[in-house]
Amino acid sequence: MSAKISIIGAGMTGATTAHWLAERELADLVLVDIVEGMPQGKALDLLQCMPVIGKDVAIVGSNDYAATKGSDIVIITAGVPRKPGMSREDLLTTNAQIVQTATENALKESPDAIFVILTNPLDTMAYLSMKVGKLPPQRVVGQAGILDSARMRAFVALETGVSVENIACYVLGGHGDEMVPLTRHSNIAGIPLRDYLPADKLAAIVERTRKGGGEIVSLLKTSAYYAPAVAVAQMAEAILKDKHLIVPASAYLQGEYGLKDIFFGVPVQLGRSGVERIIEYTLDAEEKAALEKSAAAVKESIQVLHNLVKI
Ligand code: APR
């Protein structure tokens, strides 16, 4: 296959991302991890699925970045996941070092790659990757919005019994408990959610969406990985196929939404050059206030990063 995607971190999220990507037969895949033998073993296992599903995808695992040479997309999932009781911010110190190393090493092999970041705290890690790699903003994007919106869509489907295909939800802001589910823009087959659901039910869905990651951590004792991985696969597909797909994702803002020098969840258009465009919704006062609160949390996290790493 002509396209190549490398996934740095072959743990639960990384390997599951490879699984979803292989199903889509988009690109050859490389899994990289520091654990010896593990990415090689997982890659072989996945490779042996290909005859069954009838997809011609080359999948290799390695502990060496040389294998990633010439990648079109580099997906970074390397890092530690949450344990019960931890916030995503608690991961910052450990994961900053890992994401910095991963970005620098991957970039040496693939100077033109688009970087999709999944490691938490997501917005801060995407910021770090762009800064240490000295990458143009359109070539770095963080995955969070598709996942958070999918969680909301799933909860709306559970509540209403309507097909997930009819449910459009938009969750913006930082990928933390202050994220902003936009109930005014979200709808069921064009009917605003606010008109479809009683206020108390909608408020419960918003709250469950915000805590959606934590709900899984408390059950699973580690971070979610199926839905985060499929969300990143959708982003990689939009980029490689140059789909000009509008999705919520974490992008570098330079004045949009009144915010500067921050990665933040906003609607972006994804295509072959990465983030082609940032779309600005018209927001009411309540939505603006919620986004500002969320941005304050991300800014705080980025400040912590500045105290840790010289960027
Ligand atoms: N280089 C490459 N891989 C690394 C490095 C490194 N420097 N440091 C750690 N890793 C690998 C680990 O060996 C492990 O296999 O990253 C992998 C992480 O996998 P898991 O522990 O299974 O964690 P996962 O659930 O995949 O979460 C990874 O994604 O969604 C986020 O919050 C989550 O930050 C976490 C990240």
Side-chain angles (χ1 to χ4, degrees):
M1 212 170 286
S2 58
K4 179 167 173 177
I5 300 177
S6 290
I7 301 165
I8 316 303
M12 300 313 292
T13 320
T16 312
T17 299
H19 183 176
W20 290 115
L21 284 171
E23 287 263 6
R24 291 176 190 224
E25 205 177 30
L26 278 176
D28 289 333
L29 304 173
V30 180
L31 283 168
V32 173
D33 204 285
I34 42 167
V35 179
E36 273 182 37
M38 185 268 266
Q40 294 86 340
K42 287 193 179 184
L44 263 180
D45 193 5
L46 276 167
L47 184 77
Q48 292 160 12
C49 302
M50 296 305 106
V52 181
I53 63 169
K55 305 289 181 189
D56 292 302
V57 178
I59 309 172
V60 298
S62 181
N63 304 114
D64 185 346
Y65 281 84
T68 67
K69 194 172 185 58
S71 297
D72 298 282
I73 297 179
V74 171
I75 296 169
I76 299 184
T77 77
V80 290
R82 282 199 277 174
K83 298 232 163 28
M86 284 174 105
S87 79
R88 294 181 182 93
E89 293 307 314
D90 294 332
L91 310 173
L92 199 152
T93 309
T94 310
N95 285 353
Q97 281 180 343
I98 296 172
V99 169
Q100 175 167 5
T101 314
T103 303
E104 288 168 350
N105 289 336
L107 201 54
K108 276 183 212 147
E109 303 296 337
S110 306
D112 300 320
I114 291 165
F115 282 68
V116 183
I117 313 298
L118 210 80
T119 305
N120 276 309
L122 187 272
D123 304 283
T124 311
M125 293 302 107
Y127 181 93
L128 171 67
S129 185
M130 186 194 83
K131 293 282 180 183
V132 296
K134 297 188 172 51
L135 288 161
Q138 64 270 26
R139 279 180 47 206
V140 185
V141 62
Q143 185 302 120
I146 298 176
L147 167 66
D148 296 328
S149 304
R151 285 182 172 148
M152 186 168 170
R153 291 170 70 192
F155 298 146
V156 171
L158 282 176
E159 180 60 42
T160 59
V162 173
S163 166
V164 290
E165 287 191 82
N166 285 133
I167 300 167
C169 292
Y170 304 94
V171 180
L172 304 188
H175 185 49
D177 293 349
E178 303 296 343
M179 67 179 73
V180 186
L182 289 179
T183 55
R184 193 166 61 91
H185 300 71
S186 303
N187 66 81
I188 299 182
I191 306 163
L193 268 192
R194 287 178 180 188
D195 297 342
Y196 203 101
L197 282 167
D200 60 325
K201 298 261 192 246
L202 189 50
I205 287 172
V206 164
E207 195 48 24
R208 194 172 177 194
T209 300
R210 285 199 168 125
K211 305 270 168 62
E215 182 181 358
I216 294 177
V217 173
S218 64
L219 292 166
L220 205 57
K221 318 298 176 221
T222 188
S223 298
Y225 44 92
Y226 291 114
V230 81
V232 86
Q234 185 183 38
M235 292 170 75
E237 180 168 35
I239 293 167
L240 279 185
K241 290 189 175 168
D242 200 22
K243 281 176 78 81
H244 316 298
L245 182 74
I246 297 173
V247 291
S250 186
Y252 187 63
L253 301 187
Q254 300 173 88
E256 299 88 350
Y257 292 92
L259 297 167
K260 264 194 190 143
D261 197 34
I262 178 177
F263 265 78
F264 201 55
V266 292
V268 302
Q269 185 174 300
L270 294 181
R272 193 60 193 85
S273 58
V275 177
E276 297 177 322
R277 194 157 70 101
I278 291 170
I279 287 117
E280 286 197 71
Y281 286 168
T282 311
L283 300 175
D284 64 22
E286 196 188 324
E287 291 157 354
K288 272 188 198 153
L291 270 190
E292 272 160 27
K293 194 169 172 210
S294 178
V298 177
K299 280 181 193 162
E300 210 176 294
S301 172
I302 288 176
Q303 192 48 53
V304 175
L305 179 75
H306 278 293
N307 297 336
L308 281 176
V309 192
K310 235 175 147 251
I311 41 174

